[in-house]
Structures are given as C-alpha cells and as structure tokens.
Amino acid sequence: LKPVKPCSAESRDISRPFDQFVLPKYEPATDSVDRHSTRKVEHDAEPPAFSQPSSSHEFLRTWRRSCRAQAERLRYLRVLDIDTLPMLFRTEMDPLLLDAFVDTLHVAVCEREPSGDGSAEAAAIAQQAPLALWAVRLLAGLARVNRFDATLNFAAGPTTDKLKRIFAAAASHAPAEGVAGNGELDAAAVAALASKFGIRDVVEGRGMV
C-alpha cells in the first residue's frame, strides 16, 4: 500500500507518524471458539444442584444467586431439612424471605391451571396432595424459628392471603384426625397450625381471618 499524498504541509505533518501503517489482517472466529461458546451455553442451561445449607448465610447466598425462577426456588426448598429450620435461622427470619417462601409455595400448591382432561386433572390433583401437605409441614418448621411472630407481623399484606389458600388446599387433602402417618399433619393439626399464622376456620377452598 502507498501512503496517500498530503494535501498540505499541515496535513503532511499530521499524517507522518502513520506512514507505512497497514491494518492487520482480519481473522474470523475459529470453530474451536464457537464450540467453546456452545459448550458454555449448554453448561449454563443445566439446572443448579442444591444441597442442605449449613448456615443461613449459605442459604441466602444460594437463594439469591441460583434461585431466580420459581421452579428453582421450589427445588431448593424441597432439599431443606424441615426439622432443622430453627437451627438454620438461629436469630430470626427476614420478613422479605418469608414473603418469598410463601409466594413460592402458593405458586406450587394453588396456581395449577385446569387442563380440561379428566384423567390428567385427576393425576394433577393426586400430585398436588402431597405437595400441599409438605408445604404446611415446611410452614410448621418456620413457625418454630426464633422471633417468628415478629417476622409474621412484618410480612407483606398479600402473604396472608396466600397463606389462607395454602392452608385451605392442605386442609382439603389432609387425612382425618388420628390416621395421619409419615410425619403428615391431619386436618386438626393443619387447622391448629393455621391459627398460629393468624388464620382460623380453614375450610376447603378458602381460609378466614
């Protein structure tokens, strides 16, 4: 390439440092880079693997970094050891975290869309029953956390309405009094737990404050 002839002495002085300058050859991205990029996308698409946290700090770190979708939040809640929740949240539980817990449980238990297919609907209800009973067991564990009454008092308004629906769903699936097993709560236990959350007269489909 030949340098362009300057039009004036001033432009010649300006262009002098760039005499004989040639742009480097453009090299397109190689297949290896593309394959690496593809592997990264596929890796990022894999769901995170959750395990029982050893402290509230570990729980919150995983909750904030890896549980952005409702499905991921539900999967993480499912790995928690309910009996050790008071030890996990030793001091107290943030009301905002309680709001998030209840919202996740409400979506899983109460926001099932009707399919219109009788057999599919029956299967969905069968799956919902143990999920609703597990949800109230989780709530029972949270109720034993230190200073939980204060946490509940500062919870958001919609949280109470969602709790009503969760307890109502659980009451509709709970076994009769005296026949519950495997750590399940019977209908009387569900009603007693609901009263700790400020909800009484729980009946199928609704709860009343």
Side-chain angles (χ1 to χ4, degrees):
L1 295 177
K2 295 182 180 180
V4 179
K5 184 178 179 180
C7 297
S8 65
E10 182 180 0
S11 62
R12 182 178 62 249
D13 294 338
I14 294 174
S15 63
R16 181 174 292 118
F18 301 98
D19 284 350
Q20 309 303 324
F21 178 81
V22 179
L23 289 172
K25 182 181 178 182
Y26 171 74
E27 295 289 348
T30 62
D31 292 341
S32 60
V33 174
D34 292 338
R35 288 195 298 269
H36 175 75
S37 177
T38 302
R39 287 197 300 270
K40 183 178 185 303
V41 171
E42 293 174 351
H43 176 73
D44 291 344
E46 295 178 359
F50 296 124
S51 59
Q52 170 71 20
S54 59
S55 66
S56 60
H57 296 293
E58 181 183 346
F59 172 84
L60 291 173
R61 182 171 61 251
T62 303
W63 181 263
R64 291 166 179 167
R65 293 180 180 177
S66 304
C67 301
R68 299 183 182 276
Q70 289 286 10
E72 294 167 345
R73 292 185 172 189
L74 181 62
R75 285 181 53 241
Y76 193 27
L77 292 181
R78 294 283 279 179
V79 306
L80 296 182
D81 183 352
I82 294 176
D83 294 332
T84 62
L85 287 177
M87 299 296 295
L88 183 62
F89 302 101
R90 292 175 180 272
T91 306
E92 60 184 352
M93 187 178 188
D94 190 326
L96 294 177
L97 187 58
L98 175 63
D99 293 337
F101 273 36
V102 173
D103 183 60
T104 299
L105 297 178
H106 181 262
V107 170
V109 173
C110 304
E111 295 188 4
R112 178 179 51 82
E113 295 291 338
S115 63
D117 183 340
S119 58
E121 190 77 6
I125 293 175
Q127 294 176 355
Q128 185 191 33
L131 185 59
L133 295 177
W134 165 80
V136 293
R137 286 185 58 235
L138 181 67
L139 293 174
L142 295 178
R144 296 188 292 112
V145 171
N146 190 37
R147 294 173 53 82
F148 183 75
D149 289 342
T151 299
L152 187 61
N153 287 337
F154 286 101
T159 294
T160 300
D161 293 332
K162 293 174 183 178
L163 283 169
K164 294 177 186 178
R165 298 186 184 97
I166 293 170
F167 280 114
S172 67
H173 297 297
E177 184 175 357
V179 297
N182 298 324
E184 290 183 342
L185 301 179
D186 59 26
V190 170
L193 178 62
S195 66
K196 294 183 179 180
F197 285 79
I199 301 168
R200 66 177 186 273
D201 299 331
V202 175
V203 296
E204 181 178 351
R206 65 187 180 92
M208 300 178 61
V209 176

